[in-house]
Amino acid sequence: MSQVSPRVVIGMDPHKRSVTIEVMDGDEHVLGGGRFATDAAGYRLMLDSVRAWPDRVWAIEGCNGIGRHIAHRLIADGEEVVDVPPKLSARARVFATGQGRKTDATDAHSVALVGTRMTGLRPVVADDQLEVLRLLVDRRRSLGEEHTRKVSQLHALLLELIPGGAKVFLSAAQARKLLASVRPRDVVGKTRKRVAMELVVDLEKIYARTKAADKELTELVKATGTRLLDLRGIGPSGAARLLAEVGDITRFPDRGHFASWTGTAPIDASSGDHVRHRLSRGGNRQINRVLHIMAVVQLRNPTEGRAYFDRKKATGKTSMEAMRC
């Protein structure tokens, strides 16, 4: 009679060009491991090295970050993958070694320990719709960052060309009109004007790409059936970011877990009879940014958020405390 191999956890410390793995059984015995390249040949060697354990699950650190590329390759090949948050593996590393020394091998061991001991780790699944949203919203954000950078450069040049410079919120059309009124006579001034005009042209192209990106994101978000766009302060980029980052909302047992994951839940900092809470600096900062923008927009308009803020202020909370609520 053939012996059935036990279920094992394969902990992985991923990098761009290489991964380090460790195979661990349910009793935390190390059965194998190694370091492999992430190219096609290295990937095949890695799979060949774990063929002896057909009942396996891959525990990969940072599947929303550096581990994304290898996690999705494994999923495409029918492998079972769970995501190990870096914070959990860091804690396991400290308690496992006593020193917290960080090498690829110790990282893989820590990830394997978390995968063996912890229940409820998030399974990584392939969702083409959410993956498309993630790609497009990342591109939309890069367009916004590029716009901010070029506007800053344009302001610096206009300050040299026009006494007092231009107003803070400046569009490409307004900048073009200002430059048309400038007639520099020296070679330095003419060069500044030429570079400024090139920036204006770049901004016009960015506006066009941004408009097209917003339109595409809006259509894709609506196609998911979500009602996020009905909320005041949530635009197509914010809705797409929420959908892409959250994924399966049912993985959060309650609203408190979701608030902790987003970094919006305050941290208890009480001492003795003094009861206070402080702002959380942890959590998913991209989602935290979306929710912060939503709160700011709601405070500027007569919304339920504004009414809630006023009620909190009436109970004695400061503006910042009411904002966090």
Side-chain angles (χ1 to χ4, degrees), residues 50-315:
V50 298
R51 298 291 184 200
W53 302 281
D55 189 8
R56 58 182 180 263
V57 58
W58 298 79
I60 301 179
E61 184 180 49
C63 287
N64 281 333
I66 191 60
R68 172 183 295 276
H69 69 103
I70 194 70
H72 282 267
R73 288 171 71 182
L74 288 168
I75 292 171
D77 286 336
E79 300 285 339
E80 182 181 352
V81 180
V82 294
D83 180 26
V84 175
K87 184 180 292 186
L88 287 182
S89 59
R91 291 174 181 170
R93 182 171 63 250
V94 171
F95 289 117
T97 64
Q99 299 293 332
R101 294 191 180 97
K102 186 169 171 57
T103 65
D104 291 349
T106 56
D107 282 351
H109 181 70
S110 302
V111 174
L113 285 174
V114 174
T116 303
R117 296 173 180 177
M118 295 291 296
T119 59
L121 292 175
R122 182 177 68 88
V124 181
V125 297
D127 189 322
D128 292 343
Q129 190 177 40
L130 293 184
E131 193 63 26
V132 169
L133 280 175
R134 183 190 299 276
L135 289 170
L136 293 178
V137 76
D138 286 344
R139 173 57 178 158
R140 174 62 180 82
R141 181 176 182 178
S142 68
L143 286 173
E145 293 171 346
E146 187 178 359
H147 169 268
T148 300
R149 184 170 61 253
K150 290 190 179 297
V151 167
S152 298
Q153 295 172 359
L154 183 58
H155 271 293
L157 291 171
L158 289 175
L159 186 60
E160 299 286 344
L161 291 168
I162 303 172
K167 64 178 185 176
V168 176
F169 300 105
L170 183 70
S171 69
Q174 292 167 339
R176 183 181 286 276
K177 186 176 180 180
L178 284 174
L179 288 172
S181 64
V182 176
R183 296 288 189 274
R185 298 187 178 183
D186 60 306
V187 64
V188 175
K190 291 179 180 179
T191 303
R192 284 199 185 101
K193 180 177 179 179
R194 176 172 58 82
V195 173
M197 281 302 301
E198 291 174 356
L199 288 172
V200 169
V201 173
D202 290 342
L203 284 172
E204 290 171 341
K205 294 178 180 178
I206 291 174
Y207 290 155
R209 291 200 296 268
T210 299
K211 185 177 180 180
D214 286 340
K215 181 180 179 181
E216 186 176 11
L217 279 175
T218 301
E219 293 173 352
L220 289 173
V221 168
K222 288 181 177 179
T224 65
T226 182
R227 292 181 294 172
L228 286 172
L229 291 176
D230 296 338
L231 300 174
R232 181 69 70 90
I234 296 291
S237 294
R241 178 64 67 188
L242 280 165
L243 291 172
E245 294 292 328
V246 172
D248 182 10
I249 190 65
T250 59
R251 65 190 176 97
F252 299 101
D254 53 48
R255 61 189 298 177
H257 282 78
F258 182 72
S260 178
W261 180 76
T262 61
T264 52
I267 297 177
D268 189 3
S270 304
S271 178
D273 296 332
H274 184 58
V275 179
R276 61 179 291 270
H277 294 79
R278 66 175 179 84
L279 178 68
S280 172
R281 299 291 181 184
N284 188 308
R285 304 316 298 173
Q286 296 189 75
I287 296 298
N288 190 278
R289 177 176 179 270
V290 171
L291 297 178
H292 177 78
I293 293 173
M294 179 185 180
V296 170
V297 172
Q298 291 202 10
L299 288 182
R300 293 175 179 173
N301 298 276
T303 61
E304 292 182 10
R306 180 73 220 191
Y308 180 84
F309 176 85
D310 293 337
R311 289 198 302 271
K312 289 295 183 181
K313 288 270 293 189
T315 62

